[in-house]
Structures are given as structure tokens and as C-alpha cells.
Amino acid sequence: LISQPLPAGASGCLQEKLSRARDALLRAPRESLAALLELLFAHPELQTVIEEDILAALTASCRELEALRGAEGGLQAALYLYSGVAKVLPRSAAVASAQGALLHRLGRHKEALERLQWALALDPGHAPAEEALDSLRSFAAERWHFRMLNDRLRNQCYATAIQNAVASLAGASDGGTASGQEVRALDIGSGTGILSIMAARAGATKVWGCEMNSLLADLSRQIVDQHGLGDRVTVLHGHSTDLRVPRDLPERVDLVVTELVDSGLVGEHILSVLRHARDELLRPGGLTVPYGAVLHAMPLAAPELRGRQRLVLDTAGRLHGLATGGLVVRVDEPYTCECLSHFPHTPMAAPVRVLEVAFRDSLSSKPLAATVPLQPTACGVVDAVAVWFDLVLEPPGADGTFNPRTTFSTRPARGGNGWDQGLYHLVDVQSTPPELSPGSPATLRCELCEDRIQFSIDASHGERRPSPAAQVRVGEMDLALMNDVGRHCAFLS
């Protein structure tokens, strides 16, 4: 911060007060902020001189509050400070921009949009406001939304499954729903509202969409109205786990539809969300779309991925010539996502079917696990396990098979596929990753528990593998930087 001087002729007393307020900024930012605001109230003509000081004290105060009260409490207290300063400096683009960015962090996206737009109205070239607005827009409509909306097979399967479910519920003679009975549906994670519209068009008499992104919730209300369904589809803003009957819904619903599945299947917490829906929002005998998923896996080697998941050591066990003391550094994220059709990799074994998950039957905290034999097809280390799945929208028929009209796959190279594939990092990897070779036995173990999938490979042939001296887990990009030889050489030079 370069402090602006007071105008010529300012009193010595005023100079002393401003000096004390500036001196307190680092050691007591909230006291500094209070003193600066008091000066501004008494001398409005000083705004241009001390505005930057106020912003610096405000930023430091918010950091202090977050450190003292934790993320949630600190951000709420910081927002209170910003709101007060915004009243004092209503035409400050910097204050409006910072307040908008804070509202975005708190999930109050509609208010954030208003503040950021106001900041740009005050200063059309204000870079922080433009950057924050770009971030907000990306959050409101991330690019994968368009891929999903353009996945015709996925849309056709969902439309058919929802149509069948509504018809079954309206025409059932048991389960508490009489023939011709009204059908109430809840769309969890409703996004643009496409599944809600499908349910209404299928004949559901009342549909509630639940969307946590406030901007997307507003957009979906407009889309619903444009389709002439505003009287039958209501979009609620918030998490479905916060919904209560009869506060938010007049009664339990007959049908729950959702697509809370990502490329790794459970990364959007579909199991815990459906558990809450079953216990609190869905009537006994009600239906859920989707029914479940069939998980497929394939071990692979990918040098590009290797440097993002563990330290890449030389033959002497060193990193850029530095000894690691046996330390094993691993990525802390369970998986990453890539489109295998465009991602350089070598399949190390034939794809295998590992788990069949019925979502309604997998809602307890008890792990679901399977160990399957592998058929290695190449020699080398395994860097990850690629995952894709068949999303099964309806229960199996009497013959135990799934309806192909309501089942679709996220496998690589499927035309129009809206999903990438999940690349799961192996757990329990010690100082060296497992190696496969054709003709040598190996097994893949998969465990699903509480919205988390883990994979491990046993190719040890009974050999005891050494344990590392210690393990540390860091972010994927941090590991990539640690393995960046060119970057290190440049710094050393």
C-alpha cells in the first residue's frame, strides 16, 4: 500500500490521527478500519486520500476474522464489515467488487451478481470485478452442462424412464397410490430443469426442482415458464438435505429423479443424498430414477498422470538429485477426470465389470466390495484405474436384465457421451506402484463406502513389499510442480 498524502493545509491533529490509523493496520486491522471510517465520517473530503487505506484495513480485518472464527463464521462476519463499508463508500467499485466476490464464496450468487454488476457500472474497466464475474458465470453454467444437455441418448433414456415411472405410479393398485392418482415428483440437483420438465410432461401433477446454485435456479424458473409449466413445476433454491416436510414440501413425494453422478459415479454424493430423500422426502413404495449403476474398470499406464499423483524418482530413489529419505508423497484427491479417447495412455489389462450398485439397496454405511481377477495385456506399472459405468434408470425385468431403452453407458468413445472417465488413484501404494505383465496373476479390489470408491491391485505374487518411512498427501497440481524438472533447473540456474 502506498499511502496518499493529506492535502496541503491539513491540521497536525488530522495528520496524527491518520498516521496512527495507518500504523495499526498490520497489528490491529479492525482498530485501523474503525479509526479510518471515523476519519471519513468527520472529513468526507478525504475519501480519495484514505479509500485505499480503508480497503487494505478491510481486507486484513476479514482475514483476521476468518482465522479467528473459521471459514463459515469468519466469512459471515467479514460480510457484515463489507456491508457497513459499502454504505459509507456506496460508489466504490473496489468495495462492491470485493463484496461480490465474498458473496460468491458464501453461495449467495444472485446477490454476488448484483454487486459485481454494480462495480462494473461504476468502473467498466475494473479488473477484479471482471475476473470475479467470469468466475461466477463459470460456476453458474459450467461447460459440462452443455455436454450433458446435448447427450441425446442420456436424454432419451431419462425421458423414457420418467414416463414409465409416472405411468406406473399413477396406475398402481398397491403401494398407497390408486389408479389415476396424482403423482408428485422431486428433481434433486435440477440444474436447468430438464428432468423436472420431463416429469411434468410425463403426467406428474406437481414437480419440485431443488437446485443449490441460485443463478441456475433462477434460470431454470425462466425455462420452466417458457415451457408453460410454471403452475406445475416449482424450483426451490438450496440443498435437498435441508428440505423438510411440511415446511418445504406439503407432503412426501411419490417419485425422486436425479442425475447427481459425475465421471467417478459417486463424486456428487448421490448415495447420501438419496439416503436422506428415502428417509425424509419419499413416501414408502415410491420410486427413484436412477435405479443404480454397473461399474467397469481398466488399469492403465499414463506417464502424463504419473507426475500428478506421486513423486517420480530416478533409479537411485532421488528427486532431481535430492534424497527423499523414504518419504512417499501421494496425491490427496481420490480421482481425476479425463476423456480416454483423447488422453495418452496404455491399457494394462482388459476391462472388467467390478460392481453392480442398486442405489436404494446401497444406502447404508456398510461397504460394498468386490475382488475380480485381471487379465494383464501389457508389461509395466499401473498409474490409475479408469472407470466408466452403465447408468441403469429402471430396475431389472423378470429375467434379471436391464431395459436397454433406459440404460446408457459412459464408456470411452460412445458417440455423444456427456461424461469423461474417472481415473482413480490406487490406495495403499507403497514406495513403488504395482506392476503387471501378461501371464502373471493379479487381482483388482474395489470398495464403495459413503460416496467414496477405492481401488487397489494385488500383483505381488505373495511377495512382501516394504513399507515407506512416511506418507504425505498433497494436491495434484502441487505434485506436478514438484516433478517439473524444467522448472527446477530454471530456478537452479
Side-chain angles (χ1 to χ4, degrees), residues 154-170:
R154 165 241 192 208
N155 297 340
Q156 291 166 357
C157 288
Y158 259 101
T160 301
I162 291 172
Q163 178 75 51
N164 293 345
V166 172
S168 173
L169 290 164

PDB file of all heavy atoms in Angstrom, residues 154-170:
ATOM      1  N   ARG A 154     -28.634 -40.009 -23.407  1.00  0.00           N
ATOM      2  CA  ARG A 154     -28.949 -39.785 -21.985  1.00  0.00           C
ATOM      3  C   ARG A 154     -30.324 -39.173 -21.818  1.00  0.00           C
ATOM      4  O   ARG A 154     -31.132 -39.617 -20.997  1.00  0.00           O
ATOM      5  CB  ARG A 154     -27.863 -38.891 -21.382  1.00  0.00           C
ATOM      6  CG  ARG A 154     -28.212 -38.264 -20.042  1.00  0.00           C
ATOM      7  CD  ARG A 154     -28.183 -36.763 -20.190  1.00  0.00           C
ATOM      8  NE  ARG A 154     -28.223 -36.061 -18.928  1.00  0.00           N
ATOM      9  CZ  ARG A 154     -28.734 -34.846 -18.786  1.00  0.00           C
ATOM     10  NH1 ARG A 154     -29.245 -34.210 -19.836  1.00  0.00           N
ATOM     11  NH2 ARG A 154     -28.732 -34.238 -17.630  1.00  0.00           N
ATOM     12  N   ASN A 155     -30.648 -38.155 -22.619  1.00  0.00           N
ATOM     13  CA  ASN A 155     -31.951 -37.502 -22.522  1.00  0.00           C
ATOM     14  C   ASN A 155     -33.094 -38.454 -22.875  1.00  0.00           C
ATOM     15  O   ASN A 155     -34.129 -38.483 -22.189  1.00  0.00           O
ATOM     16  CB  ASN A 155     -31.991 -36.286 -23.441  1.00  0.00           C
ATOM     17  CG  ASN A 155     -30.976 -35.219 -23.044  1.00  0.00           C
ATOM     18  OD1 ASN A 155     -30.505 -35.190 -21.907  1.00  0.00           O
ATOM     19  ND2 ASN A 155     -30.621 -34.362 -23.979  1.00  0.00           N
ATOM     20  N   GLN A 156     -32.917 -39.247 -23.930  1.00  0.00           N
ATOM     21  CA  GLN A 156     -33.965 -40.185 -24.325  1.00  0.00           C
ATOM     22  C   GLN A 156     -34.206 -41.235 -23.253  1.00  0.00           C
ATOM     23  O   GLN A 156     -35.360 -41.583 -22.956  1.00  0.00           O
ATOM     24  CB  GLN A 156     -33.581 -40.854 -25.653  1.00  0.00           C
ATOM     25  CG  GLN A 156     -33.600 -39.921 -26.855  1.00  0.00           C
ATOM     26  CD  GLN A 156     -32.909 -40.512 -28.070  1.00  0.00           C
ATOM     27  OE1 GLN A 156     -32.351 -41.612 -28.024  1.00  0.00           O
ATOM     28  NE2 GLN A 156     -32.926 -39.766 -29.177  1.00  0.00           N
ATOM     29  N   CYS A 157     -33.125 -41.746 -22.667  1.00  0.00           N
ATOM     30  CA  CYS A 157     -33.257 -42.766 -21.618  1.00  0.00           C
ATOM     31  C   CYS A 157     -33.976 -42.201 -20.400  1.00  0.00           C
ATOM     32  O   CYS A 157     -34.861 -42.850 -19.819  1.00  0.00           O
ATOM     33  CB  CYS A 157     -31.889 -43.309 -21.232  1.00  0.00           C
ATOM     34  SG  CYS A 157     -31.138 -44.382 -22.477  1.00  0.00           S
ATOM     35  N   TYR A 158     -33.605 -40.992 -19.987  1.00  0.00           N
ATOM     36  CA  TYR A 158     -34.267 -40.380 -18.830  1.00  0.00           C
ATOM     37  C   TYR A 158     -35.743 -40.108 -19.125  1.00  0.00           C
ATOM     38  O   TYR A 158     -36.616 -40.353 -18.277  1.00  0.00           O
ATOM     39  CB  TYR A 158     -33.555 -39.093 -18.424  1.00  0.00           C
ATOM     40  CG  TYR A 158     -32.636 -39.264 -17.237  1.00  0.00           C
ATOM     41  CD1 TYR A 158     -31.261 -39.391 -17.412  1.00  0.00           C
ATOM     42  CD2 TYR A 158     -33.133 -39.313 -15.941  1.00  0.00           C
ATOM     43  CE1 TYR A 158     -30.409 -39.558 -16.332  1.00  0.00           C
ATOM     44  CE2 TYR A 158     -32.294 -39.486 -14.851  1.00  0.00           C
ATOM     45  CZ  TYR A 158     -30.931 -39.611 -15.051  1.00  0.00           C
ATOM     46  OH  TYR A 158     -30.094 -39.789 -13.971  1.00  0.00           O
ATOM     47  N   ALA A 159     -36.040 -39.597 -20.308  1.00  0.00           N
ATOM     48  CA  ALA A 159     -37.435 -39.305 -20.647  1.00  0.00           C
ATOM     49  C   ALA A 159     -38.277 -40.574 -20.607  1.00  0.00           C
ATOM     50  O   ALA A 159     -39.404 -40.587 -20.074  1.00  0.00           O
ATOM     51  CB  ALA A 159     -37.509 -38.651 -22.023  1.00  0.00           C
ATOM     52  N   THR A 160     -37.741 -41.677 -21.135  1.00  0.00           N
ATOM     53  CA  THR A 160     -38.475 -42.948 -21.137  1.00  0.00           C
ATOM     54  C   THR A 160     -38.655 -43.476 -19.725  1.00  0.00           C
ATOM     55  O   THR A 160     -39.752 -43.926 -19.348  1.00  0.00           O
ATOM     56  CB  THR A 160     -37.725 -43.983 -21.998  1.00  0.00           C
ATOM     57  OG1 THR A 160     -37.597 -43.492 -23.329  1.00  0.00           O
ATOM     58  CG2 THR A 160     -38.468 -45.307 -22.017  1.00  0.00           C
ATOM     59  N   ALA A 161     -37.592 -43.438 -18.920  1.00  0.00           N
ATOM     60  CA  ALA A 161     -37.678 -43.962 -17.556  1.00  0.00           C
ATOM     61  C   ALA A 161     -38.652 -43.150 -16.707  1.00  0.00           C
ATOM     62  O   ALA A 161     -39.428 -43.703 -15.921  1.00  0.00           O
ATOM     63  CB  ALA A 161     -36.292 -43.965 -16.912  1.00  0.00           C
ATOM     64  N   ILE A 162     -38.617 -41.832 -16.847  1.00  0.00           N
ATOM     65  CA  ILE A 162     -39.534 -40.988 -16.076  1.00  0.00           C
ATOM     66  C   ILE A 162     -40.978 -41.217 -16.528  1.00  0.00           C
ATOM     67  O   ILE A 162     -41.897 -41.300 -15.703  1.00  0.00           O
ATOM     68  CB  ILE A 162     -39.129 -39.513 -16.210  1.00  0.00           C
ATOM     69  CG1 ILE A 162     -37.790 -39.274 -15.489  1.00  0.00           C
ATOM     70  CG2 ILE A 162     -40.201 -38.581 -15.653  1.00  0.00           C
ATOM     71  CD1 ILE A 162     -37.186 -37.900 -15.723  1.00  0.00           C
ATOM     72  N   GLN A 163     -41.184 -41.346 -17.829  1.00  0.00           N
ATOM     73  CA  GLN A 163     -42.520 -41.633 -18.348  1.00  0.00           C
ATOM     74  C   GLN A 163     -43.042 -42.945 -17.770  1.00  0.00           C
ATOM     75  O   GLN A 163     -44.192 -43.030 -17.303  1.00  0.00           O
ATOM     76  CB  GLN A 163     -42.473 -41.731 -19.880  1.00  0.00           C
ATOM     77  CG  GLN A 163     -43.801 -42.068 -20.540  1.00  0.00           C
ATOM     78  CD  GLN A 163     -44.752 -40.889 -20.570  1.00  0.00           C
ATOM     79  OE1 GLN A 163     -44.373 -39.805 -21.000  1.00  0.00           O
ATOM     80  NE2 GLN A 163     -45.969 -41.086 -20.100  1.00  0.00           N
ATOM     81  N   ASN A 164     -42.203 -43.985 -17.764  1.00  0.00           N
ATOM     82  CA  ASN A 164     -42.612 -45.281 -17.232  1.00  0.00           C
ATOM     83  C   ASN A 164     -42.906 -45.202 -15.737  1.00  0.00           C
ATOM     84  O   ASN A 164     -43.861 -45.822 -15.244  1.00  0.00           O
ATOM     85  CB  ASN A 164     -41.530 -46.318 -17.496  1.00  0.00           C
ATOM     86  CG  ASN A 164     -41.361 -46.631 -18.966  1.00  0.00           C
ATOM     87  OD1 ASN A 164     -42.219 -46.289 -19.785  1.00  0.00           O
ATOM     88  ND2 ASN A 164     -40.253 -47.282 -19.325  1.00  0.00           N
ATOM     89  N   ALA A 165     -42.077 -44.452 -14.997  1.00  0.00           N
ATOM     90  CA  ALA A 165     -42.268 -44.360 -13.551  1.00  0.00           C
ATOM     91  C   ALA A 165     -43.564 -43.636 -13.209  1.00  0.00           C
ATOM     92  O   ALA A 165     -44.329 -44.085 -12.340  1.00  0.00           O
ATOM     93  CB  ALA A 165     -41.076 -43.633 -12.916  1.00  0.00           C
ATOM     94  N   VAL A 166     -43.834 -42.514 -13.886  1.00  0.00           N
ATOM     95  CA  VAL A 166     -45.068 -41.772 -13.625  1.00  0.00           C
ATOM     96  C   VAL A 166     -46.281 -42.618 -13.985  1.00  0.00           C
ATOM     97  O   VAL A 166     -47.272 -42.674 -13.233  1.00  0.00           O
ATOM     98  CB  VAL A 166     -45.077 -40.445 -14.411  1.00  0.00           C
ATOM     99  CG1 VAL A 166     -46.440 -39.759 -14.302  1.00  0.00           C
ATOM    100  CG2 VAL A 166     -43.978 -39.513 -13.887  1.00  0.00           C
ATOM    101  N   ALA A 167     -46.228 -43.317 -15.114  1.00  0.00           N
ATOM    102  CA  ALA A 167     -47.354 -44.172 -15.521  1.00  0.00           C
ATOM    103  C   ALA A 167     -47.577 -45.288 -14.518  1.00  0.00           C
ATOM    104  O   ALA A 167     -48.719 -45.625 -14.172  1.00  0.00           O
ATOM    105  CB  ALA A 167     -47.084 -44.752 -16.907  1.00  0.00           C
ATOM    106  N   SER A 168     -46.471 -45.873 -14.012  1.00  0.00           N
ATOM    107  CA  SER A 168     -46.589 -46.953 -13.030  1.00  0.00           C
ATOM    108  C   SER A 168     -47.216 -46.452 -11.734  1.00  0.00           C
ATOM    109  O   SER A 168     -48.096 -47.103 -11.160  1.00  0.00           O
ATOM    110  CB  SER A 168     -45.210 -47.545 -12.755  1.00  0.00           C
ATOM    111  OG  SER A 168     -45.232 -48.470 -11.699  1.00  0.00           O
ATOM    112  N   LEU A 169     -46.774 -45.283 -11.272  1.00  0.00           N
ATOM    113  CA  LEU A 169     -47.308 -44.741 -10.020  1.00  0.00           C
ATOM    114  C   LEU A 169     -48.765 -44.319 -10.163  1.00  0.00           C
ATOM    115  O   LEU A 169     -49.585 -44.532  -9.264  1.00  0.00           O
ATOM    116  CB  LEU A 169     -46.455 -43.545  -9.575  1.00  0.00           C
ATOM    117  CG  LEU A 169     -45.044 -43.877  -9.081  1.00  0.00           C
ATOM    118  CD1 LEU A 169     -44.192 -42.624  -9.045  1.00  0.00           C
ATOM    119  CD2 LEU A 169     -45.100 -44.535  -7.712  1.00  0.00           C
ATOM    120  N   ALA A 170     -49.109 -43.726 -11.274  1.00  0.00           N
ATOM    121  CA  ALA A 170     -50.490 -43.269 -11.477  1.00  0.00           C
ATOM    122  C   ALA A 170     -51.445 -44.428 -11.662  1.00  0.00           C
ATOM    123  O   ALA A 170     -52.626 -44.327 -11.311  1.00  0.00           O
ATOM    124  CB  ALA A 170     -50.568 -42.347 -12.696  1.00  0.00           C
TER     125      ALA A 170
END
